[in-house]
Amino acid sequence: MKLLEDRILKDGKGIGTEILKVDDFLNHQIDVQLLDEMGKEFARLFAHTGANKILTVESSGIAVAYPTARYMGNLPLVFAKKKKPSTMPEGAFVTEVFSFTKQTSTPIIVSKNYLGPDDKLLIIDDFLASGSAGLGLVDIVNQSGAQIVGFGAAIEKEFQGGAAKLRNLGIEVHSLAVIKEIVDGNVIF
């Protein structure tokens, strides 16, 4: 998606060879118009899937998944929480994910009230790098008995291999901006 690639080149900051900082428009401050266009594009790419829910991880994934859900007919948007709130009833799907940028493992949790065998889930997230968060969501979906109909990432760091891991599981993956590498702080698509 040229609009996103142009924004990454304009306002993104490559750090070393592994990290892309996009706080100006995606992870700290949100460019609502850009995310709206991203939601339209995901809806176009995944229109054929028959998805009846969108699944993501809090918090950055929500901003990308929300307009996608809206453009796909106002689908319910379910997000995995990183801490179990006291209001969550007993019974949840839980798995651990590793964050490359934070260098920590975190449990992600979805109440059993929101996922089940009748669901066809489209997973949407802000980044797809090593695939840890994506594979964690796949694990939660498998626990629920639901079906994954696709995985969309706003930004994919192809060189970290996460998309290949998901495709090897037979999952249709689309990324709006695919980064081949980061060299001396410069992003190469």
Side-chain angles (χ1 to χ4, degrees), residues 59-174:
S59 63
S60 299
I62 296 170
V64 180
Y66 172 80
T68 304
R70 187 165 56 90
Y71 283 108
M72 291 188 76
N74 296 310
L75 295 180
L77 170 56
V78 177
F79 58 92
K81 293 181 169 279
K82 294 181 180 172
K83 290 185 180 176
K84 184 177 179 182
S86 61
T87 57
M88 185 179 283
E90 291 301 316
F93 306 112
V94 181
T95 196
E96 289 275 327
V97 297
F98 179 77
S99 169
F100 179 81
T101 51
K102 295 177 184 172
Q103 291 293 302
T104 58
S105 286
T106 306
I108 59 171
I109 304 152
V110 176
S111 170
K112 289 185 177 181
N113 292 339
Y114 300 115
L115 298 180
D118 295 332
D119 290 321
K120 293 181 177 183
L121 300 167
L122 172 58
I123 299 172
I124 298 288
D125 210 355
D126 59 340
F127 272 93
L128 176 53
S130 69
S132 181
L135 292 171
L137 289 170
V138 168
D139 182 37
I140 283 181
V141 172
N142 289 339
Q143 290 176 48
S144 76
Q147 176 187 356
I148 298 169
V149 297
F151 188 104
I155 301 169
E156 174 188 334
K157 293 192 278 182
E158 181 182 51
F159 58 90
Q160 289 184 329
K165 291 174 188 173
L166 295 171
R167 287 185 181 106
N168 286 339
L169 295 174
I171 298 170
E172 178 181 348
V173 177
H174 292 286

